[in-house]
Amino acid sequence: MEYYFLGTGAGRPSKQRNVTSGILNLLAECGTCWLFDCGEGTQHQLMKSPYKPGKISKVFVTHLHGDHIFGLPGFLTSRSYQGGHSKVTVYGPPGIQLFLKTVFQVSESHLDYELEVVEIQEGIVMEDNRFKVEAAMVDHRIDSFGYRVTEKAGERPLYAGKLKERGIAPGPLFAQLKRGESVCLENGEQLHAKDFLGPAVTGRTLAVIGDTRSCARSVELAQDCDLLVHEATFAHRHQSLAADYGHSTAVEAAEIAKEAGVQKLVITHLSSRYQEEEAGLLAEAKEIFPETYLAHDFWGTAVPKRK
């Protein structure tokens, strides 16, 4: 489980950073990847990355500003030519369906796979037997969402050694206990699953916060997360400017991480005005939350397991 950055800039692309997009690598967990935002040029960034468009099954859009969605029509239409024929679901704020419908209709684009577009509200937007994704509205100039991805707890491990000590060989009895069932041995002894199963493996959690001012909803989304990806468009000396434009400073992102009790923070969505002083942004954040990292295009970070 890794979050890989395709674009980490704010507003417009620069020579160092493309606009926002990131991939959650779930290939080991469920054989697919999820895309978070899809700014202009994302399909070009994908070509330079280790990830294939055909492996992307879901797209989560935080809000409808161009630097987060202008690459979406291009990615979706060219995916067919790059080996992608499986279904894709796009989740996003109200208006995302009209945006895609209009582009496809005017450009007479054709997709060789099923596309589902889900206009979200706050709450659970997607859930299966392995993951749950929740959305909450944050504080930007237009409707903007943050997402929280929760990996559900894994199966309880079986203490096989304890069974072998009793002379029980691997086989059907192991499987029954693993399923939580009690078993009866030939000598009449009852074995109860609770005595041979460890605690469930804790799932990992990730929060991706879209463009936002510092707000309480971000803390709620990120509460106890293993990884928080949060925008840090401005340096703290430009805090008033950040508030005017609906963005956060690196310091504010660090304060969110600290208050939420996350394990690791990655700051992204950096304004190009700080190209020569990005180390300063990182230092500002690390002073408040030491486990802070600065995102770069074509860089990934693992979602750590809770210690």
Side-chain angles (χ1 to χ4, degrees):
M1 195 174 181
E2 176 193 55
Y3 195 86
Y4 183 88
F5 293 87
L6 294 169
T8 56
R12 57 183 175 82
S14 67
K15 292 181 179 179
Q16 289 79 20
R17 297 177 180 276
N18 198 52
V19 285
T20 301
S21 186
I23 286 181
L24 181 58
N25 176 359
L26 298 174
L27 292 172
E29 289 76 15
C30 54
T32 66
C33 298
W34 297 351
L35 189 66
F36 285 80
D37 284 328
C38 191
E40 175 187 352
T42 293
Q43 62 176 314
H44 296 278
Q45 299 292 92
L46 268 171
M47 293 177 195
K48 301 172 187 176
S49 81
Y51 297 101
K52 304 297 182 185
K55 289 293 185 180
I56 296 173
S57 62
K58 299 183 187 300
V59 182
F60 295 91
V61 175
T62 61
H63 65 292
L64 302 184
H65 276 155
D67 58 320
H68 293 255
I69 63 168
F70 281 170
L72 190 53
F75 161 71
L76 292 172
T77 52
S78 63
R79 181 177 181 270
S80 298
Y81 305 115
Q82 297 168 318
H85 302 293
S86 55
K87 177 182 175 180
V88 172
T89 304
V90 175
Y91 302 86
I96 188 66
Q97 193 164 41
L98 176 62
F99 170 71
L100 290 174
K101 179 181 178 180
T102 301
V103 172
F104 291 152
Q105 185 175 25
V106 172
S107 64
E108 297 187 8
S109 298
H110 173 72
L111 304 182
D112 292 331
Y113 57 86
E114 180 184 356
L115 176 65
E116 179 185 18
V117 181
V118 178
E119 296 195 334
I120 66 170
Q121 301 294 330
E122 291 190 302
I124 298 173
V125 298
M126 172 264 158
E127 186 170 15
D128 59 20
N129 62 355
R130 192 67 189 269
F131 291 97
K132 177 175 69 173
V133 181
E134 300 164 89
M137 191 90 72
V138 289
D139 183 13
H140 193 40
R141 291 179 292 131
I142 63 172
D143 286 356
S144 183
F145 288 89
Y147 291 100
R148 179 186 177 97
V149 179
T150 302
E151 180 185 31
K152 296 183 178 180
E155 294 182 344
R156 298 174 65 184
L158 182 69
Y159 293 143
K162 291 178 67 173
L163 292 167
K164 291 176 182 177
E165 288 174 2
R166 291 171 172 262
I168 303 171
L173 293 182
F174 274 48
Q176 284 181 257
L177 291 167
K178 182 76 171 172
R179 292 195 298 268
E181 302 170 6
S182 296
V183 300
C184 184
L185 302 181
E186 290 182 0
N187 63 6
E189 182 183 4
Q190 287 276 342
L191 299 182
H192 302 289
K194 65 181 178 62
D195 298 324
F196 299 93
L197 292 174
V201 177
T202 303
R204 288 157 290 186
T205 51
L206 160 74
V208 180
I209 308 294
D211 289 9
T212 183
R213 301 176 180 91
S214 178
C215 66
R217 300 308 296 276
S218 295
V219 177
E220 294 172 15
L221 272 173
Q223 193 68 48
D224 297 323
C225 271
D226 300 308
L227 174 64
L228 168 62
V229 176
H230 196 290
E231 72 120 298
T233 309
F234 289 92
H236 203 59
R237 67 179 185 274
H238 294 139
Q239 185 179 20
S240 61
L241 193 61
D244 289 343
Y245 283 95
H247 289 293
S248 300
T249 68
V251 165
E252 288 170 333
E255 290 171 341
I256 294 291
K258 183 177 181 179
E259 186 176 351
V262 307
Q263 277 212 86
K264 182 163 65 173
L265 166 68
V266 179
I267 53 175
T268 185
H269 200 270
L270 306 177
S271 171
S272 58
R273 74 183 67 202
Y274 304 111
Q275 289 182 33
E276 305 303 322
E277 51 178 306
E278 290 180 351
L281 292 180
L282 179 60
E284 285 185 349
K286 287 177 76 72
E287 189 171 334
I288 293 167
F289 190 78
E291 201 64 22
T292 301
Y293 300 84
L294 188 72
H296 295 279
D297 292 14
F298 310 116
W299 173 78
T301 184
V303 181
K305 292 188 176 180
R306 176 65 57 172
K307 297 176 183 178

